[in-house]
Amino acid sequence: MLMKSAITSTYSPTGSRNFFLNLLKKSTTLSHLTQTHAQIILNDFQNDISTITKLTHRLFDLKATSYARHLFLSIHNPDLFLFNVLIKGFSNAHSISLYTHLRKCTHLKPDNFTYAFAIASASTLSDEKVGILLHQHAVVDGYGSDLFVGTAVVDFYLKNWRIDLARKMFDKMPVRDTVSWNSMISGLVRNCCIDDAVCVFERTLKDGRIPLDSTTVAAILPALAELQELTLGMEVQCLAIKLGFHSYVHVLTGFISLYSKCGDIEAAKLLFGEIRRPDLVSYNAMISGYTSNGESECSVRLFKQLLGSGEKVNSSTIVGLIPVFHPFGYLSLTDCIHGFCVKSGILSQPSVSTALTTVYSRLNEIKSARLLFDESLEKTPASWNAMISGYTQNGLTEAAISLFQEMQRSKVSPNPVTVTSILSACAQLGALSLGKWVHSLVKNKNFESNMYVSTALIDMYAKCGGISEARELFDLMVGKNVVTWNAMISGYGLHGQGQDALKLFSEMSHSGVTPNGVTFLSLLYACSHAGLVEEGEKIFQSMIHDYHYKPLPEHYACMVDILGRAGQLENALKFIKEMPVEPGAAEWGALLGACVIHKDKKIARVASEKLFELDPESVGYYVLLSNLYSVERNYRLAASVRQDVKKRKLAKTPGCTLIEIGETPHVFTSGDRSHPQASAIYAMLEKLIRKMKEAGFQTEIDTALHDVEEEEKELMINVHSEKLAIAFGLIATDPGTEIRIFKNLRVCVDCHTATKFISKITERVIVVRDANRFHHFKDGLCSCGDYW
């Protein structure tokens, strides 16, 4: 009404174009614009291109895209400027249609702004070919070196995960302004190329000619937060103060996030207090900061304060409130947040449902997570990633792979996060053929430059038996973070190549990458499985004294394992007793395992008593003790332990073995006759056993049940799942082909000995991954040297 009176009171017959342009500039609502549009028509300015262009621009500002489109269609001869406004305003497939119409149906020629806006719009499409074609058109029309077009192209490639092409384009640009550098930094951060983003930022500082703005500072802060580079973050803060940007709300908000993610929540609170009037983004950063530091009570309190102020929360507020990083103990809070989202209608936001899916998965509430996923109306790539990752983290690898295949059928394009999750599932399951297919997908999508994807590929190949392929990929990587080095060191440990693991650690030390707890754990594990006692002790001492790292229970357990496997059981027991912290189930469990290997009942009894006290519900320790008594032929005590297991209603994890033939996985359990080729498998097994006995093989029956006949014991041992899988591999593959099998438990002594004989008799290389490590069998020998 106020706008209407302003028009009627101010308008005179001599009203000019400038009058309406000024009026459009002042319009703040769609109602204002429609009233002004009516007056434009009444005063015969409806064909004035400048006025209509300004009106169209304002309509897009107020998100009235449909209105803008109808207005455009009413203009008989739109000029290039109006086309550009429309292309920029739509920023979707409509923009590309307009660009095509401009080229084919008008006499107009696209300029640098046309191409920049069209290429930016192509970023929203699923098919990157459109953007690449537009880039080619721009080059042909002479805009290949244009600053505006170049920046749009760099941004397009970064949004499509084509980091290599973005870098190439950026480096070729003859002139780069602040916006170009900002696009490159923020794009690299989005693509998880964190180290690269910091390098680009450092280049801007060294150059000295590039005027930094508040966006440059805000863009680099998430990278520093990801790297936990608080010292460098403080230096950037000093820079922001020097340049006069520190008081800007969006810059302060960036520093709140930085300090929160680096664990300094008190500094984040102080910065939040510096903002006189925090906006919603600032509140969101502080709420998220509290939550990510395990202070959910504070985040809930601030959330209530925000609601009490009358501010309307958005999806980012809720995502920050959901305890994704510290979920344990917060199931009821998660349920409350879920309920709030349902009532407020915010659950329909993909980011919210995805965050809830993630936290339910981490709380092992996998059914709730899947229900949320299934009920989501809009499934973004992040939604699929959360559910696939949830399955993988909960050990439901087959479900993860199945969902990934469903994602493919749904025509949702996987991104590096999807690929990383599915490669983790392949690694857990030993699904090498699927892993190789995902690797080809990585090549097709040009994800190889993504550090996390390359690291996941290294991990997958190492855990699927391809240690040489893993090393090849490792050597090809330009930038390696600590996770990459850990993946390769761990891979060597899995394959019993302890010396290679130590050599690689030496390279890592010289590269300047600081090792972490996982590095030392992987090294100790490698030493344990290669019998490198002295080297293991040196690594343990170096970890404490040179790197000042406080050992965790896992590190102590690994040290016990190193001593125990080497037969130094007294030293292992002494090590446990002299620990500066109270030893737990991990350390005593490692000792008991070593006692079984070396048949030491005395120390085994000490270890088992502690274990039954610390972890009475873990069936594995009972099985180990029972096996030790059986080996010593003390069947009375073995039966007593097994009886105790029955009384406690504990269940042993059933053993199973997987073998892939082509791209089809086949899973066997002990005594399994469900396979379609069961008759042929058992016939092959009988043939093998006959030849093995002729070669001197004797069945290890000591750990079999004591209350059955000797002959029956032998039959029970002979049909273990790994033997069935190997027999099937022999009949399903060509002579000379390598056989790879994956066992979910530690391979038993009898199957280990039998596989050595089979590799000799059949002249095959047989690779076995059990719960502990890889065994490479060739010519009657195993790579573990019977040390596992």
Side-chain angles (χ1 to χ4, degrees), residues 700 746-754 788:
E700 171 71 51
R746 181 180 182 271
V747 66
C748 74
V749 175
D750 183 76
C751 287
H752 189 270
T753 307
W788 87 104

Side-chain angles (χ1 to χ4, degrees), residues 348-359:
S348 60
Q349 295 289 326
S351 59
V352 173
S353 57
T354 298
L356 283 168
T357 299
T358 302
V359 78

Side-chain angles (χ1 to χ4, degrees), residues 409-433:
R409 289 191 295 272
S410 301
K411 306 296 182 190
V412 178
S413 185
N415 60 27
V417 179
T418 325
V419 169
T420 304
S421 294
I422 205 64
L423 284 171
S424 176
C426 292
Q428 285 182 40
L429 196 61
L432 181 61
S433 58

Side-chain angles (χ1 to χ4, degrees), residues 460-600:
M460 183 276 294
Y461 275 113
K463 287 177 179 172
C464 288
I467 193 69
S468 56
E469 290 98 328
R471 184 59 198 248
E472 247 177 72
L473 284 167
F474 179 83
D475 290 337
L476 286 170
M477 281 183 72
V478 179
K480 301 178 184 80
N481 64 7
V482 66
V483 183
T484 312
W485 289 93
N486 289 350
M488 197 64 235
I489 291 169
S490 173
Y492 277 135
L494 267 176
H495 289 264
Q497 296 174 223
Q499 291 293 355
D500 290 315
L502 291 168
K503 186 182 173 186
L504 192 63
F505 176 63
S506 177
E507 288 178 35
M508 178 185 179
S509 301
H510 289 108
S511 75
V513 176
T514 306
N516 60 15
V518 177
T519 316
F520 293 117
L521 188 63
S522 300
L523 284 165
L524 292 171
Y525 181 92
C527 291
S528 171
H529 286 273
L532 304 175
V533 179
E534 191 179 330
E535 292 86 343
E537 288 177 327
K538 281 181 182 176
I539 288 290
F540 188 80
Q541 292 304 321
S542 176
M543 172 180 69
I544 298 168
H545 302 296
D546 299 334
Y547 292 94
H548 310 291
Y549 187 88
K550 188 180 178 182
L552 297 173
E554 294 85 355
H555 298 99
Y556 286 115
C558 237
M559 205 55 230
V560 172
D561 197 49
I562 287 172
L563 296 167
R565 280 179 191 274
Q568 298 182 25
L569 296 171
E570 292 289 349
N571 285 343
L573 182 59
K574 185 185 174 191
F575 178 86
I576 290 175
K577 288 178 177 178
E578 291 177 355
M579 278 172 57
V581 294
E582 189 66 30
E587 293 84 0
W588 290 111
L591 183 61
L592 179 60
C595 289
V596 172
I597 293 169
H598 297 286
K599 302 178 178 60
D600 190 315

